[in-house]
Amino acid sequence: MLRLTDLKLPLDHTESALTAAILKRLNIEAAALTGYTVARRGYDARKRGAIALIYALDIETPREAELLRRYADDQHVQPTPDTNYHFVAQAPAPLSHRPLVIGFGPCGLFAGLILAQMGFRPIILDRGKEVRERTKDTWDLWRKRNLHPESNVQFGEGGAGTFSDGKLHSQIRDPLHHGRKVLTEFVKAGAPEEILYVSKPHIGTFRLVTMVENMRATIESLGGEIRFSQRVDDLLLEPGADGQQRIRGVTLASGEQIRTDHVVLAVGHSARDTFEMLHARGVYLEAKPFSIGFRIEHPQSVIDSARFGPQAGHPILGAADYKLVHHCKGDHAGNGRSVYSFCMCPGGTVVAAASEPGRVVTNGMSQYSRNERNANAAVVVGIDPADFAPFDPTFDEGGGSPLAGIALQRALESHAYTLGGENYSAPGQLVGDFLAGRASHDFGDVQPSYKPGVTLGDLASALPDYVIAAIREALPAFERQIRGYAMHDAILTGVETRTSSPVRIKRDDSLQSLNTRGLYPAGEGAGYAGGILSAAVDGIRIAEAVALSIAAQN
């Protein structure tokens, strides 16, 4: 087959129009087109009222060789790439020690799945509960203000991605098409087939729950083992011949020890106690930049109208999303500091995402239908380790603790808990009042979706002054891109602190820890991914590295 890209048609085109466009673009007769499949479908919404669909198509034709020669210099007519997944190894028999995977979010899920498919029968440990029990515990916080520290939005089967919009697009480089393997496995597990070709695929929370269960069953059917409510509290280490420490197993909170020479560390960005344990055990990690800010909510209809104009509501387009960035110019906000939208959830809700008692943190979530009244997104400001100094526990000794970002997160989340009323309500403020520097007392037309509730007031103290100043500068700039963005009644809810991991557990070319052989830091928690798809792809890469290492030793 050949891949034909950048074929544009009107939003309401007919199927026959697509066929006609293929024939015209390739200059062939109808008899020479034996079939086609849609490889990718996106849209160009830059012209309001004239939105165009953009296709990438895989064409079946007996004239393939001739056409590839004719269009040899045309980047939009190329051979269809091989996107099939190819396993790198098969498990030896017998297997002396089974590999361990710590964490069962998207990264751990795919690391475990790929290892299982190659015959390595992994043992997967997750500190949280299986997904349906975890869902009950999560709703217990949202409805009754009862936090379960080991079973919540952050911890449990499926990871933080389960309670999200289920976005499956990423900007990572993926020359081996591992992302296609991820999407294919999701479809096998129950995701809609459209995720294989739409440009911004998403699944939504309800579908993710069933899919995760189905993938767990697949891993178990291949000899893998998943253990829930099994927190890893320590590593079993011994000195290696090369002077580096080497992993020999793990110790669970129960005291049980599990022997292994290969550990995939896919704990997610909120496993703060695990990061502290790793630091205490001498595993190399460092503080890394991340972002902090608020969640913002608008009526979804405002975003739809601004993005799609008269074509808003078209079923192919669905609920509109956006991606915004502003580079601050005012000295008060710090030249060069950026403010951007993050994790935008069309037709969704703002959710309580705390994992530690006495702290409040927000996230966003959507169902597949994306039909809730409000749109929400994080509006966040990039910060780096230099900003962590006031929160650095080693500041008096010269500073530089890799855990300083965690201390910053905890301080902000604790203050948000106080501002919200110390009952897991979140502090909030109307955008108009936030820009004017006055407290809010009453909601307007936009009702917040955050449960268990929002306490209105003044968010000026919720984040460092430079972050507040930067967001105040950015919101009017965003208004110039999306009319209504800075509307008075839009709601800001605080705080958003878990945009990415505050640490990076550095690894070498073999994907092992820099100084701990056999430990494979992976996914968001290790600082190597950001979102479901990139975390899952990293899980595949790590699984391959583990498989090749075990195969080389046998």
Side-chain angles (χ1 to χ4, degrees), residues 233-525:
D233 276 1
D234 204 358
L235 303 179
L236 302 176
L237 302 170
E238 68 178 29
D242 55 3
Q244 293 183 320
Q245 58 187 4
R246 183 168 296 277
I247 196 122
R248 288 296 182 238
V250 302
T251 301
L252 305 182
S254 64
E256 178 186 357
Q257 294 185 339
I258 302 176
R259 173 78 171 87
T260 186
D261 294 329
H262 296 83
V263 172
V264 177
L265 191 69
V267 295
H269 59 42
S270 293
R272 295 165 171 171
D273 50 0
T274 302
F275 299 148
E276 292 166 346
M277 177 271 289
L278 294 170
H279 182 50
R281 299 294 276 146
V283 175
Y284 183 84
L285 66 162
E286 61 188 22
K288 64 171 279 293
F290 60 104
S291 300
I292 56 176
F294 302 122
R295 278 274 152 184
I296 190 168
E297 289 188 88
H298 303 88
Q300 181 63 48
S301 58
V302 169
I303 306 302
D304 290 344
S305 178
R307 293 279 284 115
F308 296 149
Q311 291 171 294
H314 194 286
I316 287 182
L317 298 176
D321 63 2
Y322 59 79
K323 187 175 183 180
L324 302 170
V325 64
H326 173 72
H327 302 289
C328 291
K329 300 178 178 63
D331 289 339
H332 61 285
N335 287 328
R337 207 176 283 275
S338 295
V339 185
Y340 63 99
S341 62
F342 172 79
C343 186
M344 195 272 158
C345 297
T349 56
V350 179
V351 300
S355 57
E356 295 178 329
R359 297 191 170 102
V360 163
V361 59
T362 63
N363 199 359
M365 184 180 84
S366 296
Q367 302 302 341
Y368 175 73
S369 60
R370 290 178 165 175
N371 62 359
E372 298 292 338
R373 180 181 179 184
N374 291 351
N376 78 80
V379 174
V380 294
V381 178
I383 60 175
D384 60 40
D387 297 311
F388 306 166
F391 305 89
D392 191 337
T394 66
F395 184 76
D396 291 339
E397 292 80 39
S401 168
L403 306 178
I406 295 174
L408 181 152
Q409 290 176 324
R410 282 173 164 161
L412 297 179
E413 292 168 15
S414 294
H415 186 50
Y417 181 76
T418 300
L419 291 175
E422 299 186 341
N423 59 2
Y424 294 106
S425 287
Q429 190 173 10
L430 274 62
V431 165
D433 292 332
F434 175 78
L435 292 173
R438 60 174 177 259
S440 294
H441 302 288
D442 298 294
F443 296 112
D445 289 339
V446 183
Q447 294 296 308
S449 59
Y450 178 96
K451 302 296 182 186
V454 172
T455 301
L456 285 177
D458 189 346
L459 290 175
S461 70
L463 296 171
D465 290 344
Y466 60 85
V467 175
I468 297 296
I471 295 174
R472 281 180 173 152
E473 181 180 317
L475 290 176
F478 292 163
E479 170 74 24
R480 293 191 287 273
Q481 298 179 62
I482 296 180
R483 187 174 182 178
Y485 202 87
M487 62 186 291
H488 177 82
D489 288 355
I491 297 289
L492 292 169
T493 307
V495 289
E496 180 95 5
T497 53
R498 312 278 184 98
T499 53
S500 66
S501 180
V503 303
R504 178 171 286 111
I505 310 170
K506 294 196 73 172
R507 61 195 190 194
D508 60 19
D509 291 342
S510 70
L511 305 188
Q512 297 178 72
S513 161
L514 285 183
N515 68 342
T516 306
R517 299 289 87 188
L519 183 66
Y520 293 79
E524 283 207 51

Side-chain angles (χ1 to χ4, degrees), residues 80-91:
T80 296
D82 178 11
T83 60
N84 293 315
Y85 182 72
H86 303 279
F87 293 105
V88 300
Q90 284 296 316

Side-chain angles (χ1 to χ4, degrees), residues 29-105:
E29 66 282 0
L33 179 63
T34 55
Y36 67 86
T37 57
V38 177
R40 180 73 63 185
R41 187 190 71 201
Y43 59 80
D44 182 347
R46 289 176 293 180
K47 294 183 179 179
R48 287 166 53 91
I51 297 173
L53 296 179
I54 306 174
Y55 286 93
L57 304 161
D58 287 329
I59 308 298
E60 298 176 44
T61 172
R63 296 174 57 183
E64 178 181 335
E66 172 199 340
L67 291 171
L68 288 173
R69 286 194 300 272
R70 182 195 302 175
Y71 295 104
D73 297 328
D74 190 334
Q75 63 177 338
H76 298 302
V77 181
Q78 298 289 325
T80 296
D82 178 11
T83 60
N84 293 315
Y85 182 72
H86 303 279
F87 293 105
V88 300
Q90 284 296 316
L95 190 62
S96 55
H97 295 292
R98 298 162 68 182
L100 289 184
V101 178
I102 304 175
F104 202 40

Side-chain angles (χ1 to χ4, degrees), residues 142-303:
W142 296 351
R143 289 173 172 168
K144 299 180 180 179
R145 306 178 188 269
N146 296 321
L147 174 67
H148 299 257
E150 298 293 337
S151 182
N152 46 62
V153 165
Q154 308 297 346
F155 300 141
E157 184 178 21
T162 300
F163 296 96
S164 71
D165 185 56
K167 298 178 187 66
L168 298 176
H169 52 92
S170 173
Q171 296 179 333
I172 61 171
R173 291 183 66 255
D174 187 20
L176 299 178
H177 306 287
H178 287 348
R180 185 70 177 184
K181 171 67 170 175
V182 174
L183 298 180
T184 300
E185 291 294 343
F186 278 155
V187 170
K188 289 180 183 178
E193 288 196 15
E194 70 178 36
I195 70 170
L196 295 173
Y197 62 84
V198 296
S199 60
K200 295 180 180 180
H202 73 281
I203 300 175
T205 292
F206 287 171
R207 291 190 180 217
L208 278 166
V209 168
T210 301
M211 288 164 49
V212 167
E213 289 180 320
N214 291 339
M215 295 179 75
R216 183 215 309 169
T218 298
I219 293 171
E220 291 174 332
S221 72
L222 295 170
E225 180 181 349
I226 296 97
R227 302 184 188 180
F228 296 109
S229 299
Q230 300 287 309
R231 191 181 71 237
V232 173
D233 276 1
D234 204 358
L235 303 179
L236 302 176
L237 302 170
E238 68 178 29
D242 55 3
Q244 293 183 320
Q245 58 187 4
R246 183 168 296 277
I247 196 122
R248 288 296 182 238
V250 302
T251 301
L252 305 182
S254 64
E256 178 186 357
Q257 294 185 339
I258 302 176
R259 173 78 171 87
T260 186
D261 294 329
H262 296 83
V263 172
V264 177
L265 191 69
V267 295
H269 59 42
S270 293
R272 295 165 171 171
D273 50 0
T274 302
F275 299 148
E276 292 166 346
M277 177 271 289
L278 294 170
H279 182 50
R281 299 294 276 146
V283 175
Y284 183 84
L285 66 162
E286 61 188 22
K288 64 171 279 293
F290 60 104
S291 300
I292 56 176
F294 302 122
R295 278 274 152 184
I296 190 168
E297 289 188 88
H298 303 88
Q300 181 63 48
S301 58
V302 169
I303 306 302

